[in-house]
Amino acid sequence: MNTSLEVEYWVVDSDGELASPGSLADVSEHTEREFVGPLFELKTPPCESMPALRQTFVEQLDEVLTEAERVDKRLVPLGTPINCDEIDRRPGERGRIQKEVVGANFDYAKYCAGTHVHFEKRNVTDQLNTLIALDPALALVNSSPYFQGERIANGARAYCYRKKGYANYPKHGQLWRYVENVGEWHRRLEHRFEEFKTAALEEGVDEAAVDANFSSDDVVWTPVRLRDEMPTVEWRSPDAALPSQLLRLTDEMRAVIETVPNTNVQIDDGDDSESGAGHVTSEGITLPEFDTTCDLAEAAMHDGLESAPVANYLDRMGFSIGDYHPISTQIDGRQYVTKSDARDLRLEYASRLEADVERLAATTDG
């Protein structure tokens, strides 16, 4: 099953201050700037196997880190910058329209760095529903509990997006219910586009500008998306994190999604099971009812793996919980982090990322 990764990392200078990616974004066709100044994105091509994805991802990162060392910049694997001065959005019509529609809440997105995993489309309805049910797996790589110094949740990025950024447009930025078929998903997208367009016109945005910058395919920022142009089912729940953490997560997610076309996927509330709702076995995949999934996702965002129901659920769904050591848990414990301490944390985790890539490169077949 073709699989690819998109990861956003913060760029900092030698003092830990956020910085522009500059030449890092020009390293290859797979590197680019993001919609805010200090954010950089690396995109792998589709890879047929996990060893191929691992090798490609590590080689690309190693190439970027070589350039980063040359220009005295570093990459930081945190879901938020912890605490920093105001971040500016790069000029662009799309961002301007989003800000007009969503309002001040849209600014929360400027402080978020995440990971997107793309899976080749196969049995799309079951893939969509399974990825929705696996939303709580974001807990496995939560990488920042802080937003502008304040401790807000084990997964601050998810909290910022879901509870703040799209608080007034929940259907555009929060988890969607399971679907009966792909046509239902596309109808939802069309309805969201019409809602967004109507809101934009009410704010005085030119209709032609909306149509030129948005479509039903890209108007939502939900944790699960269909991408017709790739074509993939995209899982957008997890934070940016250390490369080894993301590869482990992608490997275990892929193992579940890869079984979808060859097994039975059903939805059950688990009331008649002592083990709880949701499980993956050799006989099939059983998803919890949507309300249960939402409860688990909330706990994953607020408490991470410290939530016993989340940890037990992910274990039943096939994840090796003991192999994960989320950054959030390691840096948590303070109600407030100063900008100076945030700079130190960014530098610490830049060093950890560099060491992580070095280890991965040493154990990846060339």
Side-chain angles (χ1 to χ4, degrees):
M1 173 182 286
N2 280 329
T3 308
S4 61
L5 274 171
E6 299 176 1
V7 187
E8 300 163 342
Y9 286 127
W10 302 105
V11 180
V12 297
D13 61 20
S14 58
D15 295 321
E17 293 283 3
L18 296 177
S20 168
S23 61
L24 303 188
D26 303 319
V27 166
S28 76
E29 62 180 323
H30 303 297
T31 56
E32 61 184 47
R33 292 166 178 80
E34 259 293 344
F35 78 106
V36 295
L39 207 54
F40 157 89
E41 185 171 42
L42 177 66
K43 298 181 177 182
T44 75
C47 298
E48 292 184 356
S49 67
M50 275 307 302
L53 179 61
R54 174 190 170 104
Q55 180 172 336
T56 300
F57 185 43
V58 172
E59 287 178 351
Q60 288 180 343
L61 268 174
D62 193 44
E63 190 177 7
V64 173
L65 290 176
T66 298
E67 174 63 14
E69 184 177 17
R70 188 186 73 82
V71 297
D72 207 18
K73 292 182 180 179
R74 309 179 74 181
L75 301 183
V76 179
L78 300 174
T80 73
I82 307 295
N83 194 358
C84 62
D85 294 332
E86 184 175 355
I87 294 177
D88 293 326
R89 187 182 300 107
R90 294 178 60 221
E93 188 70 354
R94 183 177 167 89
R96 182 191 69 81
I97 295 172
Q98 287 173 296
K99 180 64 180 291
E100 288 290 331
V101 173
V102 180
N105 283 348
F106 185 58
D107 287 339
Y108 281 95
K110 297 190 300 183
Y111 301 87
C112 298
T115 299
H116 304 163
V117 188
H118 291 263
F119 299 100
E120 178 184 346
K121 285 183 177 178
R122 298 181 185 176
N123 292 59
V124 177
T125 300
D126 285 342
Q127 285 180 316
L128 287 170
N129 290 340
T130 302
L131 286 175
I132 290 169
L134 290 177
D135 186 64
L138 65 89
L140 297 168
V141 294
N142 281 344
S143 60
S144 173
Y146 304 106
F147 172 75
Q148 292 302 75
E150 298 286 348
R151 201 274 181 199
I152 60 173
N154 188 266
R157 169 184 165 271
Y159 184 92
C160 284
Y161 264 118
R162 303 182 190 196
K163 299 299 183 181
K164 298 294 185 179
Y166 292 96
N168 297 327
Y169 290 88
K171 293 180 180 179
H172 284 76
Q174 298 181 15
L175 203 62
W176 282 4
R177 289 187 170 275
Y178 301 136
V179 290
E180 294 288 338
N181 51 61
V182 177
E184 181 183 351
W185 190 273
H186 284 296
R187 286 191 295 275
R188 291 180 186 177
L189 287 172
E190 291 167 2
H191 292 155
R192 300 296 81 78
F193 176 69
E194 291 303 321
E195 288 173 359
F196 183 86
K197 186 173 182 177
T198 298
L201 296 179
E202 290 175 353
E203 293 297 330
V205 178
D206 182 70
E207 182 174 4
V210 177
D211 291 334
N213 289 279
F214 297 90
S215 68
S216 58
D217 184 49
D218 63 9
V219 75
V220 297
W221 297 267
T222 49
V224 178
R225 287 176 63 180
L226 273 185
R227 305 305 298 269
D228 289 338
E229 77 277 11
M230 300 190 72
T232 61
V233 184
E234 180 185 16
W235 188 56
R236 303 159 57 88
S237 301
D239 284 358
L242 291 169
S244 60
Q245 295 175 319
L246 298 179
L247 286 168
R248 179 178 291 110
L249 175 61
T250 300
D251 190 13
E252 295 200 319
M253 285 290 299
R254 186 178 185 273
V256 177
I257 300 303
E258 200 169 29
T259 66
V260 166
N262 304 309
T263 195
N264 180 50
V265 179
Q266 62 180 357
I267 300 168
D268 183 83
D269 63 11
D271 285 344
D272 59 351
S273 170
E274 293 182 2
S275 62
H279 55 267
V280 173
T281 68
S282 58
E283 298 179 355
I285 300 173
T286 300
L287 311 179
E289 285 192 341
F290 180 71
D291 288 346
T292 301
T293 293
C294 286
D295 290 342
L296 289 166
E298 284 279 317
M301 179 175 63
H302 285 284
D303 304 316
L305 293 181
E306 293 182 9
S307 164
V310 169
N312 292 337
Y313 170 68
L314 295 177
D315 179 69
R316 295 195 302 273
M317 297 302 284
F319 295 91
S320 304
I321 306 303
D323 292 337
Y324 291 89
H325 306 284
I327 296 172
S328 273
T329 302
Q330 299 177 43
I331 65 176
D332 206 348
R334 287 177 278 187
Q335 282 303 117
Y336 186 81
V337 179
T338 66
K339 289 181 180 178
S340 175
D341 286 344
R343 288 193 295 270
D344 290 342
L345 280 170
R346 292 196 291 267
L347 289 174
E348 176 185 346
Y349 278 89
S351 294
R352 293 198 182 193
L353 181 143
E354 291 155 8
D356 196 52
V357 172
E358 185 175 353
R359 282 193 300 270
L360 288 168
T363 57
T364 298
D365 292 335

